[in-house]
Amino acid sequence: MTKTDRAATSGRFFAASSGDTLQCELCPQRCRIAPGSAGFCGVRANRAGKLHLPFFGAVSALAVDPIEKKPLYHYFPGCEILSVGFLGCSLRCPYCQNYRIAHDTTARTQYIPPQQLVQTARNSGSFAIAYTYNEPTIHIEYLLECGAAAHRAGLKNVLVTAGSLNDAPARELLDLMDAVNIDLKSFSAEYYRKTLHAELESVLGFTRTAVERCHVEITTLLVPGATDSDDEIHRIAEFVARLNPAIPLHLSAYHPTSSFRTASTPAATVHARAETARRFLRYVYPGNLGEQTETRCPACGELLIQRNGYRTVLPGIASGGTCKACGRETDIVRH
Ligand code: SF4
C-alpha cells in the first residue's frame, strides 16, 4: 500500500447508475464508472459501488512561484504563492504542456494532508495557496478541505483551471476561491468537443459563475492553425467584455512539446491578436514571449505595473490603491 492508498477517501458528486455502476457528476464527461474502474480523468474510481479517491492528497508538484506565473497580473502583483499540483485531467488537449502529471497516474507523488499543506503555505510566507499545474478541480474534495482550512488560517485560495465543471460543484468550489485563472482554450464548441473532448458551454458557465464570486483572469493559448484566428479572439474578447471589460485577458504563445510539433506561435501573431482584443478589453497581455509587459492606467496612461520576467515593480500605484498620477481606482487587487 502506498502513502496515497492510506489517504484514500470517499468522493462526492456522483449518482448511482445501474447496479454497482456509478455516474460521476463532477464534470461534463459524466463518466459511468463500473466497479474496479476509474473515470476519464483517471483519479475518480468505483470501489464496490462507492466513489473512491485513491489520489486524495497525492501531490505531484509543490513550489513557491511568483503569482505572475499562474498567470495572475491584477491580483497581489509581485507576491509569491505556494503552488500545488496533482495528477490526472478531464480534458485531452493534444498539445498538453504538463503531460507527465496530467496523463500518467503512475508519476511520483507525496501525500500531503490538507492541514499540512496549509501549514506549509504559512511556513513559506505565502499569502495564499494556488491549486494548479494539472487540472485541480478533479480533486475537488481535497480542494474544498484545503480551501476551508486556508481561510481559517487567514490565507487566500487561487485556482488555475480549464473550468470544465458542472454547475453545482463549480458553485461550491468557487465559493471558497478568491482568485481564478480560467484557461478558455477556444470559442468553438466543435473544437472543444472533437479535439479537447470537453464542452465549451460548461466552461462559459463556469466563467460566469466565477465572475460573480471572485477575481477572474482569462488565458487563451494561441495554437497556430487551431485557436489563433482573429475571429476566435474577437469572439473571446467580446464574451469577456460582456462580463466585465476590466477582466485581464492573457494571450499566450504556444511552444511545441515532444508529442505536438507544430511550430511556435509567431510573436507578431500574438501582438496582432492582442490588438484585436484591446478593442473590447482594458487589459490584454501577450504572454510566453519573454517580453516585458506593462499595465497602464486606462484614464491617464500612467505606468502602474511593469513586469520583466518574473520581476514585478509597481511604480504608479499609490498606497491607497489608486493611480498616483490621476487618482483613479486601479483594477488591481492588493493586500
Ligand atoms: S471528474 Fe473524472 S470521473 Fe468525474 S465525470 Fe469528469 S472525467 Fe469522469
Side-chain angles (χ1 to χ4, degrees), residues 24-31 33 39-42 44 90 138:
C24 180
E25 299 284 355
L26 183 56
C27 91
Q29 301 289 354
R30 292 201 157 84
C31 299
I33 313 174
F40 185 73
C41 58
R44 303 174 71 79
S90 50
I138 56 178

Side-chain angles (χ1 to χ4, degrees), residues 54-264:
F55 295 92
F56 182 92
V59 168
S60 65
L62 188 69
V64 177
D65 290 335
I67 195 158
E68 284 74 16
K69 198 173 174 182
K70 301 302 108 190
L72 286 175
Y73 279 12
H74 285 210
Y75 191 75
F76 288 71
C79 293
E80 296 204 310
I81 185 164
L82 183 78
S83 302
V84 58
F86 312 92
L87 296 178
C89 190
S90 50
L91 291 87
R92 289 294 182 273
C93 310
Y95 46 81
C96 180
Q97 315 271 310
N98 284 319
Y99 193 89
R100 188 186 58 78
I101 60 170
H103 301 296
D104 177 6
T105 51
T106 65
R108 180 189 290 264
T109 59
Q110 59 174 322
Y111 173 57
I112 303 183
Q115 275 299 346
Q116 188 182 324
L117 185 72
V118 170
Q119 194 56 48
T120 304
R122 294 185 71 172
N123 295 346
S124 74
S126 176
F127 75 99
I129 300 173
Y131 311 96
T132 178
Y133 301 136
N134 72 319
E135 175 48 53
T137 59
I138 56 178
H139 299 277
I140 188 170
E141 293 83 357
Y142 184 81
L143 268 52
L144 291 171
E145 273 195 45
C146 286
H151 276 177
R152 285 194 298 273
L155 299 173
K156 303 212 178 288
N157 293 303
V158 166
L159 180 66
V160 181
T161 176
S164 181
L165 217 62
N166 291 334
D167 193 49
R171 286 173 187 278
E172 191 168 336
L173 182 60
L174 287 166
D175 278 344
L176 280 171
M177 293 298 132
D178 300 287
V180 183
N181 186 299
I182 301 168
D183 197 3
L184 178 54
K185 294 168 186 286
S186 163
F187 214 72
S188 160
E190 186 182 2
Y191 183 77
Y192 259 92
R193 192 172 57 252
K194 290 188 175 168
T195 304
L196 308 178
H197 300 275
E199 237 183 45
L200 172 64
E201 198 46 53
S202 71
V203 181
L204 300 184
F206 181 92
T207 305
R208 292 184 195 101
T209 304
V211 167
E212 289 166 3
R213 284 166 166 74
C214 60
H215 176 84
V216 172
E217 303 194 17
I218 310 278
T219 298
T220 298
L221 185 69
L222 300 176
V223 182
T227 64
D228 67 338
S229 74
D230 199 61
D231 177 60
E232 179 109 28
I233 301 310
H234 182 127
R235 291 193 295 151
I236 286 175
E238 268 188 328
F239 165 75
V240 176
R242 276 197 295 273
L243 299 175
N244 183 347
I247 293 175
L249 174 65
H250 302 264
L251 295 178
S252 294
Y254 141 92
H255 296 295
T257 64
S258 55
S259 57
F260 196 80
R261 301 306 303 165
T262 298
S264 295

Side-chain angles (χ1 to χ4, degrees), residues 36-48:
S37 301
F40 185 73
C41 58
V43 301
R44 303 174 71 79
N46 181 339
R47 183 191 271 178

Side-chain angles (χ1 to χ4, degrees), residues 12-18 20-25 31-33 49 51:
R12 296 175 50 203
F13 310 105
F14 68 95
S17 184
S18 57
D20 273 352
T21 298
L22 301 176
Q23 177 153 343
C24 180
E25 299 284 355
C31 299
R32 294 182 75 246
I33 313 174
L51 192 76

